[in-house]
Amino acid sequence: MRFTSEQRLDDGVLEREFTLGEIPGILWTPGSASASAPAPLILLGHPGGLHKMYPRLVARARHSAAEGFAAATIELPGSGDRPRSAAADEARADLHRALEAGKPVDDEIAARLILPLVEKSVPEWRAALDAFLALPEIGGPVGYAGGVIGIGIRLAVVEPRISAALLFAGSYLPRSMVEEARQVTIPLHVLLQWDDEGNDRQLALDLFDAFGSEEKTLQANMGGHTGVPRFAGDNGNRFFARHLK
Amino acid sequence: MRFTSEQRLDDGVLEREFTLGEIPGILWTPGSASASAPAPLILLGHPGGLHKMYPRLVARARHSAAEGFAAATIELPGSGDRPRSAAADEARADLHRALEAGKPVDDEIAARLILPLVEKSVPEWRAALDAFLALPEIGGPVGYAGGVIGIGIRLAVVEPRISAALLFAGSYLPRSMVEEARQVTIPLHVLLQWDDEGNDRQLALDLFDAFGSEEKTLQANMGGHTGVPRFAGDNGNRFFARHLK
């Protein structure tokens, strides 16, 4: 991991951009991190495109830092400045055609869109986790928060260093990954925007039901796809405070 | 309203039993209430039987008092020391027969069980609210928290002094009241025990969808019918803190 820039935000959070091989990413550590014990870490998932997502990511990172958590994210394959994938672009075009025609997004499109992304990005997140945990200012435990929900599910299944996950149910997901969710056993906090018309609500409810975790909470709110209320973020922070401290 | 007993709990909460006509009830006020501004009030709903429910009610009242809320409850018609109703007893017997036979509780039984209870108890809750708000130590705004969910729905529709409600989706409810829920517009926090086998989960989800409120949150947790986790109660307190303060 090579740091390429560093700035101190006004609330004392240290923001560092880095590259890990070809993959760009951002690491945020609380102002108090170097002085005190190593901080627990929250991996911030997102739908791809670090520049576009930056305002929302930095807001979530600052919210987490206020509770003493470090936060980090990496670019997804095929997004932002990373090389595009012809197959992924084609799946995305088919998705948009279906949406414009007012058709439901069928399982075959969701599978072409999500499965290769999960296959490629999950090893990258795990390699990034190796690098984050090698830093003296980062300790464990580790949580995963955000989309792409398929990435969160796969990470929760294969990565034993992830202790808890906050997932957004509402992005596209092939049915095969609902089955995979039965293998998840870590504590989960699942957010669902109830009135998001682009979202398959029944799939989200089936997914929540499938998770094998003994502690799982589904919190459904109003406000559309990007209108997750502030108090839902606060509840998410408290979820991590219970499980990562 | 006539107070019949008074005791100071070890956390300073003042617990007073009262009767309102024939109806027994309990009022809890925070230790700081008389010294400071009138406290907002949370009406504590329950399935009937104040003596049996006391441990859970007093725990919820203390939890609320710690946030500066007064709390109060009254006995339901046909429960505890109040005169029984032959029709209600018959409906309850039919319910138990259905449960013992492993049959689903049909809408006709739910209607016989719940509708007369709602018709009779809602005016009693409103009369009790008149009496509570006449006390100098109780101010507004007012919230309703708990079961019977049919009572909570009807109160939210007809009683303009109730500003927010925390409802447990998971008790019996006739389908006609799902329609009535469309008229509810106050902020709602709805708790659902996801793995409660005695609970009609689809009915609970349909009910949540029906509520007309712009702000409504569904929080589903594991732990069976009576296993609502402690953090869910904390989230409920914060819901009331947002809306009653």
Side-chain angles (χ1 to χ4, degrees):
Chain A
M1 189 168 55
R2 195 170 62 83
F3 289 111
T4 56
S5 80
E6 170 174 328
Q7 66 167 322
R8 183 73 67 175
L9 307 181
D10 55 16
D11 50 5
V13 173
L14 182 64
E15 175 180 290
R16 285 174 284 180
E17 296 184 301
F18 61 82
T19 54
L20 186 77
E22 307 282 293
I23 308 166
I26 314 175
L27 172 66
W28 295 270
T29 41
S32 56
S34 55
S36 60
L41 175 67
I42 299 178
L43 301 175
L44 298 184
H46 59 84
L50 280 190
H51 289 301
K52 193 181 59 185
M53 293 300 298
Y54 176 79
R56 277 192 270 166
L57 289 166
V58 72
R60 288 161 57 197
R62 294 167 96 136
H63 202 177
S64 301
E67 302 288 325
F69 298 119
T73 192
I74 55 173
E75 185 59 277
L76 297 190
S79 289
D81 299 331
R82 299 188 62 188
R84 307 196 70 79
S85 141
D89 286 348
E90 200 182 313
R92 207 171 291 119
D94 289 345
L95 168 71
H96 289 145
R97 264 192 292 277
L99 291 175
E100 276 166 23
K103 285 193 234 164
V105 174
D106 67 24
D107 198 55
E108 184 271 335
I109 296 178
R112 276 197 289 133
L113 197 67
I114 300 301
L115 293 182
L117 183 63
V118 170
E119 292 293 337
K120 190 152 185 208
S121 68
V122 165
E124 295 177 351
W125 280 100
R126 301 186 73 184
L129 185 52
D130 291 340
F132 300 140
L133 290 174
L135 297 170
E137 61 270 37
I138 308 291
V142 180
Y144 179 87
V148 172
I149 193 167
I151 296 175
I153 293 169
R154 177 68 55 84
L155 274 173
V157 171
V158 301
E159 177 49 73
R161 291 172 295 181
I162 294 181
S163 304
L166 184 159
L167 303 174
F168 294 104
S171 40
Y172 304 106
L173 190 73
R175 279 268 163 195
S176 65
M177 290 207 72
V178 175
E179 288 311 303
E180 187 169 341
R182 298 187 195 284
Q183 299 171 48
V184 175
T185 57
I186 58 171
L188 295 177
H189 187 82
V190 180
L191 290 175
L192 171 64
Q193 290 300 93
W194 189 259
D195 58 344
D196 177 3
E197 286 183 4
N199 169 28
D200 184 339
R201 189 194 293 165
Q202 191 56 51
L203 180 66
L205 295 170
D206 291 348
L207 174 66
F208 179 72
D209 196 45
F211 283 121
S213 307
E214 201 173 312
E215 183 188 325
K216 56 181 180 182
T217 295
L218 175 71
Q219 190 180 311
N221 297 295
M222 307 300 284
H225 187 71
T226 57
V228 177
R230 171 82 191 188
F231 63 81
D234 293 339
N235 289 351
N237 257 355
R238 279 185 287 267
F239 165 76
F240 281 125
R242 285 204 310 281
H243 292 292
L244 302 185
K245 277 183 176 172
Chain B
M1 188 168 58
R2 195 169 62 82
F3 289 111
T4 55
S5 81
E6 171 174 329
Q7 66 166 321
R8 182 74 66 176
L9 307 181
D10 54 17
D11 50 5
V13 173
L14 182 64
E15 175 180 289
R16 285 174 283 179
E17 296 184 301
F18 61 81
T19 55
L20 186 76
E22 307 282 293
I23 308 166
I26 315 176
L27 172 66
W28 295 271
T29 41
S32 55
S34 55
S36 60
L41 174 67
I42 298 176
L43 302 175
L44 299 183
H46 59 85
L50 280 190
H51 289 302
K52 193 180 60 184
M53 292 300 298
Y54 176 81
R56 277 193 269 167
L57 289 166
V58 73
R60 287 162 56 197
R62 294 167 96 137
H63 202 179
S64 301
E67 302 288 323
F69 298 117
T73 192
I74 55 174
E75 186 59 277
L76 297 190
S79 288
D81 298 333
R82 299 189 63 187
R84 308 198 68 80
S85 141
D89 286 349
E90 200 181 313
R92 209 172 288 119
D94 289 345
L95 168 72
H96 289 144
R97 263 191 293 277
L99 292 176
E100 276 165 23
K103 283 194 236 164
V105 175
D106 67 23
D107 198 56
E108 183 271 337
I109 296 178
R112 276 196 289 132
L113 197 67
I114 300 301
L115 293 182
L117 183 64
V118 170
E119 292 294 337
K120 191 153 186 209
S121 68
V122 164
E124 295 178 349
W125 280 100
R126 301 186 72 184
L129 185 52
D130 292 340
F132 300 140
L133 290 174
L135 297 171
E137 61 271 36
I138 309 289
V142 180
Y144 178 87
V148 174
I149 193 166
I151 296 175
I153 293 169
R154 178 67 56 83
L155 274 172
V157 170
V158 301
E159 177 49 72
R161 292 173 294 182
I162 293 182
S163 304
L166 185 158
L167 303 174
F168 294 104
S171 40
Y172 304 106
L173 190 73
R175 279 268 164 193
S176 66
M177 290 207 73
V178 175
E179 288 311 304
E180 187 169 341
R182 298 186 196 284
Q183 299 170 48
V184 175
T185 57
I186 59 171
L188 295 177
H189 187 83
V190 180
L191 291 175
L192 170 64
Q193 288 301 93
W194 189 259
D195 58 344
D196 178 3
E197 286 183 6
N199 169 29
D200 184 339
R201 188 194 293 164
Q202 191 56 53
L203 180 66
L205 295 170
D206 291 348
L207 174 67
F208 178 72
D209 195 45
F211 283 122
S213 307
E214 201 174 313
E215 184 189 324
K216 56 181 179 182
T217 295
L218 175 72
Q219 190 180 310
N221 297 295
M222 307 300 284
H225 188 71
T226 56
V228 178
R230 170 83 193 188
F231 63 81
D234 293 337
N235 290 351
N237 257 357
R238 279 185 287 267
F239 165 77
F240 282 124
R242 284 204 310 281
H243 293 291
L244 302 186
K245 278 185 175 171

